């Protein structure tokens, strides 16, 4: 069932999104060579605690961490580890913040130090793909319009869109209907209505879009060892257009 949120509920989710955005803004300077995934996870938890928020991911289907920290060929759901980041690593940090029952979900990508031309291009295309999808999140449009816009742009840049993991509705629980694929056909799928709150979170690869699952049962990585990047926002569908609830300063 698709739930539609009231203006008050959306405002509360926006406040949750402000906390999440503050974490991502802080990670811009925090992530550098020698930092570990565990330290990134603790950094996020400290800011949540400062605001009286909690990490919704902890305990979700047995997951133990506040964040997912996925590196290089890891597509998503990477465990925060003790391994030190090195120059040129591509790091994706994903989390869900619960502030007084209001949820927000966002992933952002960071390069450690200086990135290669390949990494920089992948990051630029993935970020632009996110916003091309958001542009289609209009009352009266369909879910397929979002995926088609993302897929068309990504493939025009000789990159691929992951199929196995998609965006979703959110609030009051973490994963709700509708599913929001980042590929598909324009004019197809469920119609977007005012009050729906969804995530758009394209995962884009340099090689095949196919993934394999690690033995931990969580971490997905590219099947061919290519790089993967992800950006994600939570947004509300409003009569005035998409309202990004996890918007960062300068983004």
């Amino acid at each position: 069932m698709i739930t539609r949120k009231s203006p008050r509920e959306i405002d509360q989710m926006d406040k949750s999104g402000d906390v999440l955005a503050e974490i991502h803004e802080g990670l811009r300077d925090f992530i550098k060579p020698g930092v570990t995934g565990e330290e990134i996870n603790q950094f996020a938890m400290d800011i949540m605690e400062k605001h009286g928020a909690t990490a919704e991911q902890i305990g979700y289907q047995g997951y133990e961490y506040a964040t997912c920290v996925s590196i290089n060929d890891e597509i998503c759901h990477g465990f925060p580890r003790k391994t030190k980041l090195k120059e040129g690593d591509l790091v994706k940090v994903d989390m869900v913040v619960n502030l007084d029952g209001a949820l927000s979900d966002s992933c952002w990508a960071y390069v450690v130090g200086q990135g290669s031309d390949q990494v920089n291009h992948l990051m630029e295309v993935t970020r632009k793909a996110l916003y091309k999808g958001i542009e289609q999140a209009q009352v009266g449009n369909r879910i397929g319009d979002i995926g088609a816009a993302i897929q068309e742009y990504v493939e025009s840049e000789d990159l691929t869109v992951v199929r196995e993991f998609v965006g979703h509705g959110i609030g009051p629980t973490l994963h709700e209907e509708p599913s929001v694929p980042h590929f598909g056909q324009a004019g197809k799928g469920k119609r977007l209505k005012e009050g729906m709150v969804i995530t758009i979170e394209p995962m884009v690869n340099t090689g095949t879009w196919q993934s394999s699952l690690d033995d931990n049962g969580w971490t997905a990585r590219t099947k061919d060892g290519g790089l993967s990047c992800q950006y994600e926002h939570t947004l509300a569908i409003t009569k005035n257009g998409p309202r990004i609830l996890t918007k960062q300063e300068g983004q």
Side-chain angles (χ1 to χ4, degrees):
M1 185 179 73
I2 297 174
T3 63
R4 294 164 69 182
K5 281 69 179 177
S6 68
R8 181 189 62 79
E9 289 173 315
I10 291 171
D11 285 344
Q12 280 297 115
M13 295 178 80
D14 201 358
K15 291 176 182 176
S16 173
D18 287 344
V19 176
L20 207 165
E22 181 180 330
I23 297 169
H24 279 311
E25 289 162 6
L27 287 174
R28 298 174 195 173
D29 294 325
F30 185 80
I31 291 178
K32 58 187 65 175
V35 168
T36 69
E38 284 189 343
E39 289 169 335
I40 292 171
N41 190 73
Q42 189 60 53
F43 179 89
M45 290 184 68
D46 289 345
I47 292 180
M48 290 185 213
E49 184 178 355
K50 179 180 76 172
H51 291 283
T54 57
E56 186 70 10
Q57 287 173 203
I58 295 178
Y60 177 77
Q61 295 184 358
Y63 193 75
E64 298 179 6
Y65 307 97
T67 62
C68 297
V69 181
S70 306
I71 303 168
N72 294 330
D73 67 327
E74 294 174 339
I75 296 171
C76 59
H77 306 154
F79 289 3
R81 300 185 292 275
K82 294 180 179 179
T83 307
K84 293 182 179 180
L85 298 174
K86 23 178 227 309
E87 185 82 13
D89 279 343
L90 174 57
V91 184
K92 293 81 66 176
V93 183
D94 189 6
M95 72 198 82
V96 182
V97 170
N98 183 328
L99 181 66
D100 301 324
L103 303 186
S104 58
D105 186 359
S106 177
C107 179
W108 217 250
Y110 306 87
V111 65
V112 181
Q114 296 295 314
S116 66
D117 289 345
Q118 183 185 44
V119 166
N120 292 336
H121 178 246
L122 176 62
M123 293 176 71
E124 179 182 12
V125 170
T126 308
R127 185 176 173 278
K128 285 185 178 178
L130 167 64
Y131 288 103
K132 285 184 179 293
I134 290 172
E135 287 173 4
Q136 297 300 317
Q138 308 283 346
V139 172
N141 279 4
R142 293 186 180 273
I143 292 291
D145 297 325
I146 296 172
I150 291 171
Q151 182 180 12
E152 180 180 0
Y153 171 63
V154 168
E155 292 180 352
S156 76
E157 295 287 340
D158 295 322
L159 299 169
T160 61
V161 179
V162 170
R163 307 292 204 273
E164 296 99 321
F165 303 97
V166 299
H168 52 87
I170 183 171
T173 56
L174 177 50
H175 287 136
E176 299 187 352
E177 289 295 323
S179 293
V180 185
H182 307 110
F183 60 94
Q185 287 184 280
K188 300 291 186 180
K190 292 182 171 65
R191 196 174 295 279
L192 299 171
K193 297 180 180 180
E194 185 176 0
M196 292 170 62
V197 178
I198 62 173
T199 72
I200 299 177
E201 47 185 296
M203 286 150 264
V204 176
N205 298 346
T206 56
T208 180
W209 57 262
Q210 295 174 309
S211 68
S212 61
L213 193 65
D214 283 2
D215 291 340
N216 63 25
W218 280 96
T219 306
R221 63 178 70 240
T222 60
K223 205 161 192 178
D224 60 1
L227 295 171
S228 185
C229 188
Q230 181 187 12
Y231 288 93
E232 172 189 16
H233 274 311
T234 297
L235 57 130
I237 310 300
T238 81
K239 62 184 178 183
N240 298 317
R243 176 180 171 184
I244 299 174
L245 306 180
T246 48
K247 188 173 182 178
Q248 299 175 38
E249 188 162 346
Q251 299 288 345

